[in-house]
Amino acid sequence: MNQKVLKLENLLRFHTVFRQLHSLGQRRILAQWNHVFSSAYPVWTAQLCIRPWQTDALIGAALSQYRLLVTKKEGRSQKSQLFSRKSKKEVEVWIGMTIEELARAMEKDIDYVYEALMNTAIDIDSLEAHSRLDEGRIKEVVKMTGMKLKWSKLKQDKIRENKDAVRRPQADPALLTPRSPVVTIMGHVDHGKTTLLDKLRKTQVAAMEAGGITQHIGAFLVSLPSGEKVTFLDTPGHAAFSAMRARGAQVTDIVVLVVAADDGVMKQTVESIQHAKDAQVPIVLAINKCDKAEADPEKVKKELLAYDVVCEDYGGDVQAVHISALTGDNLMALAEATIALAEVLELKADPTGPVEGTVIESFTDKGRGPVTTAIIQRGTLRKGSILVAGKSWAKVRLMFDENGKIIHEACPSMPVGIVGWRDLPSAGDEILEVESEPRARAVVDWRKYALEQEKNKEDLKVIEEKRKEHQEAHQKAREKYSNMHWKERSFLKYKEKKEQKSSKSEEKEERDSHILPVIIKGDVVGSVEAIVNIMHTYDASHECELELVHFGVGDVSENDVNLAETFRGVIYGFNVNAGNVIQKSAAKKGVKIKLHKIIYRLIEDLQEELSSRLPCILEEHPIGEASILATFSVTEGKKKVPVAGCRVQKGQLEKQKKFKLIRNGDVIWKGSLTSLKHHKDDISVIKTGMDCGLSLSEEKIEFQVGDEIVCYEEKEVPAKTSWDPGF
């Protein structure tokens, strides 16, 4: 700026000197002309003289104005540079960051990020503060805010150390010792599995099971007369407990397949065979109920051939034993066949080192807290051991056998109840012993972290898919409005928005009335798992939406009632209780609590509740039928009305009811009558065998001889859900 001002000042000074020299020249000329002209022209001569001080003042003012303008211009440029530097603030971001994290990195509030996302094709309503954004969305938000993007390498490259616990390598064969076989009894419901086990251990478990159906996995150690010990797993035969049967097959050495000689191969029999094959476990066939007159063991063997279960009688390797669990016939032969197969398998295990096992069942005991039934597969479990299973860990406080007797150690193949879990592990989880409590916490934390990372990856995939869908929809919308005038476009958008708003409110009302929120509480994890799996087969959402709000283990609590009140749902309990205080609270809040001890009764109740949410169906109930014998027309005023001459063939015609006209089996009209006459008299009812003339409310319908007139009434009938759970 200084150089420019100096140049201008020099230029103006040069101009001033030139003017001064010019004025001096003029003065000399005037002095020479002074003696020529008289003193009558003093004013004119004064005006011809240029005054140098006026020129200097003008130049000074011009210079000051110029300096001011240049200074202001430079100030503005400096301010704009400062502003641009501020707007180009650097934001450190990373892939998969949440909306909350992005707002914090930009030093803005969450609403600021939402406003930036409003200009994109993403659905704002589907986003929460913890929703994760993909790479494209992060770039768009930062770009719109005028900030500079910087990807954080630390966030991307940071890999957490794997602190998971795993099974030990296989033990040295020299360290292995013989162990008892783990035998699972499988088969169809009511084929005698539990009764067979009762006879072997001389107990009455079947009498304690609701409806005579085993609804849990029972793990029992049975001592045979020969001295051998066998761990038996009794799995449920009901269709709802397929997952529990599969879990039983995964931890077993031998499967005893029980098939009733009078029923033969049934659906759950085939399912049990498949579970055994998937687990690569040998089968011993127990053909039960051979004491019945209608028993046909050979038929059972032939039916099993279709499922690749070939008995020794037919050249296969499957032992078949004919038994009667009720009378105890031939049970020792079945036990000997099982022991013989176990000897062939040469079952051994390592009783030393850290414990390894599998959770068979888990439940919450009022006095003991979370309890699991487990099968020990390696090592010896003792009091004080630190165990990890799934996302839970335990310091063993107490161990007990199937009879509730406290034991101090559990060797391989032993079923044992374990008390001391911090949280309830899931049935089927692998049990591993670790060296300390901090190590157990580290393992659980790692597993939770790994699960969260896997969930985040799935969420990002879903977000990316939704983003693509919204982009495509946004592009189509832009193409739709591209050729329109802005006024037409604005009017059309306003109209569509209004229609969408009304349709959304209608949909919400309809959805609220056609939705059944459900809360499931069960006694053990396996039972809850079975019920939830059945609910996953629900395929009638077009009729009524089934929403699983919450499920858990234990008695119905006040929290369950509050949750059901919030969602206007129903609480279903399986083998659990609801105290008087809870029931009174539920009744006061208008919450239904339905308790069951048999699973298929619970599912039937659920079907009835779903059906009650459906709108009633209008059913037509015929009252009378008449055939048209002749057609003619009657003049009423200026128009002709078609009239049908009919004879009542069945029931009676009532004028106030509804009618339909049938031609060649097709209904061509439904409505009401305008007139019903017998001869010339207007009547309200025509009975069987009588002739009548009638005209319809629709004048354009033409009658034909041979058509049928049916009188009917509509009645509302409760609808039934089309969902079939499979049993």
Side-chain angles (χ1 to χ4, degrees), residues 229-360:
K229 292 184 177 181
V230 181
T231 297
F232 282 99
L233 298 181
D234 180 22
T235 63
H238 198 270
F241 295 94
S242 176
M244 294 175 74
R245 278 196 299 280
R247 195 158 54 245
Q250 292 295 330
V251 296
T252 192
D253 302 310
I254 299 169
V255 167
V256 173
L257 182 65
V258 180
V259 185
D262 55 342
D263 275 354
V265 176
M266 304 295 281
K267 184 178 178 181
Q268 278 75 56
T269 310
V270 177
E271 222 174 69
S272 300
I273 293 169
Q274 192 58 49
H275 291 319
K277 286 182 177 179
D278 292 342
Q280 298 181 349
V281 177
I283 294 175
V284 174
L285 177 62
I287 303 176
N288 194 20
K289 302 184 181 181
C290 288
D291 56 323
K292 286 192 172 183
E294 60 271 24
D296 188 355
E298 293 304 316
K299 178 189 172 186
V300 172
K301 295 177 185 178
K302 290 176 183 177
E303 287 178 350
L304 287 171
L305 291 173
Y307 305 100
D308 295 328
V309 178
V310 184
C311 299
E312 291 177 338
D313 299 350
Y314 293 92
D317 57 355
V318 176
Q319 300 178 78
V321 184
H322 300 184
I323 64 167
S324 172
L326 191 64
T327 61
D329 292 344
N330 226 14
L331 292 189
M332 284 303 102
L334 177 64
E336 289 170 4
T338 305
I339 295 297
L341 182 57
E343 289 175 355
V344 171
L345 295 174
E346 295 183 354
L347 302 172
K348 293 182 178 182
D350 179 13
T352 62
V355 172
E356 295 176 6
T358 302
V359 176
I360 299 299

Side-chain angles (χ1 to χ4, degrees), residues 517-533:
V518 171
I519 295 170
I520 302 295
K521 296 301 289 288
D523 56 344
V524 295
V525 171
S527 300
V528 176
E529 179 188 9
I531 296 167
V532 171
N533 286 341

Side-chain angles (χ1 to χ4, degrees), residues 491-679:
F491 175 72
L492 190 60
K493 283 184 177 179
Y494 169 76
K495 192 175 178 182
E496 288 178 353
K497 192 175 181 181
K498 194 174 180 182
E499 289 174 358
Q500 285 177 0
K501 192 175 181 181
S502 60
S503 63
K504 280 183 180 179
S505 60
E506 289 174 5
E507 284 175 8
K508 186 178 183 301
E509 289 177 5
E510 187 177 351
R511 185 179 181 278
D512 290 343
S513 60
H514 292 84
I515 185 170
L516 176 60
V518 171
I519 295 170
I520 302 295
K521 296 301 289 288
D523 56 344
V524 295
V525 171
S527 300
V528 176
E529 179 188 9
I531 296 167
V532 171
N533 286 341
I534 294 171
M535 291 181 65
H536 286 160
T537 67
Y538 184 70
D539 56 359
S541 297
H542 59 285
E543 298 173 347
C544 179
E545 189 175 343
L546 181 61
E547 187 179 67
L548 183 59
V549 175
H550 171 70
F551 60 89
V553 176
D555 291 339
V556 179
S557 65
E558 187 66 33
N559 288 337
D560 299 324
V561 174
N562 293 335
L563 198 61
E565 182 191 17
T566 303
F567 286 90
R568 298 179 183 176
V570 180
I571 300 173
Y572 284 92
F574 179 73
N575 276 338
V576 295
N577 297 318
N580 292 331
V581 176
I582 298 296
Q583 289 186 359
K584 287 178 181 177
S585 174
K588 186 178 179 180
K589 294 176 180 178
V591 174
K592 295 180 184 177
I593 299 178
K594 300 188 175 184
L595 306 177
H596 295 274
K597 292 188 178 296
I598 301 175
I599 192 166
Y600 59 80
R601 296 293 185 199
L602 185 149
I603 301 303
E604 286 175 359
D605 194 325
L606 181 59
Q607 285 178 295
E608 291 175 5
E609 188 66 34
L610 285 164
S611 299
S612 68
R613 301 291 177 109
L614 303 180
C616 293
I617 300 172
L618 289 175
E619 285 189 355
E620 296 179 358
H621 293 270
I623 297 172
E625 297 177 6
S627 57
I628 297 177
L629 304 178
T631 62
F632 50 93
S633 60
V634 176
T635 303
E636 291 183 359
K638 294 183 179 180
K639 59 183 180 180
K640 290 187 177 181
V641 178
V643 177
C646 307
R647 179 170 293 163
V648 181
Q649 304 291 343
K650 185 179 179 182
Q652 62 185 25
L653 306 186
E654 299 179 19
K655 186 179 179 182
Q656 302 302 322
K657 302 294 183 183
K658 293 186 176 182
F659 289 79
K660 57 184 175 181
L661 179 64
I662 301 174
R663 183 175 297 161
N664 298 325
D666 298 326
V667 178
I668 62 173
W669 170 86
K670 281 185 176 182
S672 57
L673 302 182
T674 54
S675 67
L676 179 64
K677 293 188 177 185
H678 179 62
H679 299 303

Side-chain angles (χ1 to χ4, degrees), residues 74-369:
E74 287 194 355
R76 282 198 300 269
S77 64
Q78 286 176 359
K79 282 183 181 178
S80 63
Q81 286 175 5
L82 287 170
F83 180 76
S84 63
R85 286 196 200 102
K86 285 182 181 177
S87 64
K88 287 293 181 181
K89 178 187 172 183
E90 204 169 55
V91 181
E92 190 176 9
V93 297
W94 57 91
I95 294 173
M97 70 190 308
T98 64
I99 291 177
E100 191 174 9
E101 289 171 341
L102 181 57
R104 200 180 302 121
M106 295 168 62
E107 296 181 1
K108 304 285 185 182
D109 57 7
I110 294 175
D111 293 336
Y112 189 87
V113 180
Y114 276 120
E115 287 175 10
L117 288 169
M118 283 179 68
N119 299 318
T120 65
I122 198 167
D123 184 11
I124 300 294
D125 296 333
S126 65
L127 296 178
E128 300 291 340
H130 59 271
S131 298
R132 299 191 176 274
L133 299 173
D134 59 1
E135 185 178 345
R137 291 284 173 252
I138 294 169
K139 285 181 179 178
E140 286 182 29
V141 172
V142 177
K143 185 179 178 182
M144 284 178 186
T145 53
M147 297 183 182
K148 190 177 178 182
L149 196 71
K150 181 185 177 184
W151 290 103
S152 173
K153 292 183 179 179
L154 292 174
K155 291 285 184 179
Q156 288 179 328
D157 300 337
K158 188 177 179 181
I159 298 173
R160 190 168 171 178
E161 183 185 353
N162 189 337
K163 294 186 178 180
D164 201 3
V166 294
R167 283 182 179 265
R168 291 179 287 156
Q170 289 186 353
D172 185 355
L175 299 175
L176 301 180
T177 58
R179 65 174 177 83
S180 303
V182 178
V183 179
T184 299
I185 298 180
M186 290 186 170
H188 190 72
V189 62
D190 198 31
H191 276 200
K193 302 182 299 300
T194 308
T195 307
L196 167 61
L197 194 60
D198 292 343
K199 283 292 180 182
L200 288 171
R201 70 185 187 112
K202 295 180 181 179
T203 57
Q204 291 296 320
V205 176
M208 295 186 291
E209 294 285 355
I213 300 171
T214 302
Q215 302 180 112
H216 306 120
I217 290 183
F220 309 100
L221 185 66
V222 177
S223 297
L224 301 177
S226 57
E228 288 91 351
K229 292 184 177 181
V230 181
T231 297
F232 282 99
L233 298 181
D234 180 22
T235 63
H238 198 270
F241 295 94
S242 176
M244 294 175 74
R245 278 196 299 280
R247 195 158 54 245
Q250 292 295 330
V251 296
T252 192
D253 302 310
I254 299 169
V255 167
V256 173
L257 182 65
V258 180
V259 185
D262 55 342
D263 275 354
V265 176
M266 304 295 281
K267 184 178 178 181
Q268 278 75 56
T269 310
V270 177
E271 222 174 69
S272 300
I273 293 169
Q274 192 58 49
H275 291 319
K277 286 182 177 179
D278 292 342
Q280 298 181 349
V281 177
I283 294 175
V284 174
L285 177 62
I287 303 176
N288 194 20
K289 302 184 181 181
C290 288
D291 56 323
K292 286 192 172 183
E294 60 271 24
D296 188 355
E298 293 304 316
K299 178 189 172 186
V300 172
K301 295 177 185 178
K302 290 176 183 177
E303 287 178 350
L304 287 171
L305 291 173
Y307 305 100
D308 295 328
V309 178
V310 184
C311 299
E312 291 177 338
D313 299 350
Y314 293 92
D317 57 355
V318 176
Q319 300 178 78
V321 184
H322 300 184
I323 64 167
S324 172
L326 191 64
T327 61
D329 292 344
N330 226 14
L331 292 189
M332 284 303 102
L334 177 64
E336 289 170 4
T338 305
I339 295 297
L341 182 57
E343 289 175 355
V344 171
L345 295 174
E346 295 183 354
L347 302 172
K348 293 182 178 182
D350 179 13
T352 62
V355 172
E356 295 176 6
T358 302
V359 176
I360 299 299
E361 193 53 89
S362 57
F363 58 94
T364 301
D365 186 88
K366 285 183 179 179
R368 295 172 172 176

